[in-house]
Amino acid sequence: QSVLTQPPSASGTPGQRVTISCSGSSSNIGSNPVNWYQQLPGTAPKLLIYSSNQRPSGVPDRFSGSKSGTSASLVISGLQSEDEADYYCAAWDDKQRVVFGGGTKLTVL
Amino acid sequence: QVQVVESGGGVVQPGTSLRLSCAAPGLTFTNYGMHWVRQAPGKGLEWVAVIWYDGSKKYYADSVKGRFAISRDDSKNTLYLQMNSLRVEDTAVYYCARDGYSGTPGDFDYWGQGTLVTVSS
């Protein structure tokens, strides 16, 4: 059972906008920034969003993040076939640990 | 392209020990927090441990506390994970990851390719 809660799956057609949610508590998302990772099949995770809404260099602006209270969201606009992957949210928890969501498998129909 | 390379994985029996290493020629670990994250086959990501940028603090997931030890040698730009009393449920791909720039642990800007640890009798 993951500390952060994500939907196990999401889907969309090319060009659509998809939102993946991440719910936590006051000890993690409520008091620390959220990070999002993309994991393509058979590869290591890649940082997609950090500090809740910042994109590392090289990440397309189709990816955006936001946070409100104890929840966060990842939005993918203009969905592309290469976006098909697993997505994880993560945050530092005041119990001195990093906590992850269970992951969301995104399917591009 | 900077490469982060973990090594030391393998197949071991329950109750035994293993030491993982993580090195990255061309990428500095100095002044950055470093973590181990694992992923059991077909499962999600699980954080394992962190060592502060200066080695002053170390924290562990409850599932490995008392059995695993994280350490670093900045002179060799290398991170370690000593794993003792291994259990079947420790079977996973183990990744090392470097904290990024945000100042809060968990924004891993560099990851290794992972090393597989299989614990089986």
Side-chain angles (χ1 to χ4, degrees):
Chain A
Q1 193 81 345
S2 301
V3 174
L4 304 182
T5 301
Q6 296 180 236
S9 63
S11 63
T13 56
Q16 267 191 332
R17 171 185 161 116
V18 171
T19 300
I20 297 173
S21 62
C22 175
S23 178
S25 68
S26 58
S27 68
N28 40 68
I29 294 180
S31 53
N32 295 293
V34 177
N35 308 294
W36 289 91
Y37 297 92
Q38 178 193 59
Q39 186 176 32
L40 298 171
T43 69
K46 169 190 168 185
L47 183 63
L48 210 57
I49 297 289
Y50 68 97
S51 294
S52 302
N53 58 13
Q54 302 297 303
R55 277 186 312 275
S57 173
V59 173
D61 60 7
R62 304 186 291 104
F63 296 92
S64 63
S66 64
K67 187 184 94 164
S68 178
T70 59
S71 294
S73 294
L74 172 71
V75 174
I76 307 172
S77 304
L79 195 63
Q80 298 182 5
S81 57
E82 56 261 39
D83 298 334
E84 188 159 290
D86 294 326
Y87 293 84
Y88 295 89
C89 58
W92 181 248
D93 188 282
D94 291 344
K95 296 176 184 176
Q96 312 303 325
R97 57 181 180 171
V98 174
V99 291
F100 281 99
T104 298
K105 184 176 185 63
L106 175 64
T107 301
V108 181
L109 302 170
Chain B
Q1 183 79 353
V2 174
Q3 286 229 328
V4 181
V5 181
E6 298 96 339
S7 60
V11 181
V12 296
Q13 292 190 329
T16 60
S17 300
L18 209 56
R19 188 175 87 152
L20 306 183
S21 301
C22 169
L27 176 71
T28 183
F29 288 173
T30 306
N31 297 324
Y32 289 92
M34 295 297 300
H35 300 247
W36 288 97
V37 176
R38 68 185 181 183
Q39 186 169 34
K43 303 295 185 183
L45 301 173
E46 179 188 14
W47 177 80
V48 174
V50 59
I51 184 167
W52 244 230
Y53 70 97
D54 58 357
S56 62
K57 296 179 182 179
K58 304 173 186 179
Y59 298 111
Y60 300 90
D62 288 345
S63 57
V64 307
K65 202 172 294 182
R67 300 187 299 121
F68 289 13
I70 189 171
S71 62
R72 64 192 297 160
D73 184 340
D74 285 351
S75 68
K76 296 181 179 179
N77 213 41
T78 302
L79 177 73
Y80 302 99
L81 184 68
Q82 178 66 42
M83 304 186 295
N84 300 327
S85 302
L86 281 162
R87 304 168 180 169
V88 171
E89 54 265 35
D90 295 320
T91 294
V93 173
Y94 285 73
Y95 297 101
C96 70
R98 192 188 82 165
D99 269 330
Y101 302 109
S102 74
T104 303
D107 61 335
F108 307 130
D109 60 352
Y110 284 95
W111 294 69
Q113 86 291 347
T115 186
L116 177 61
V117 173
T118 302
V119 185
S120 173
S121 55

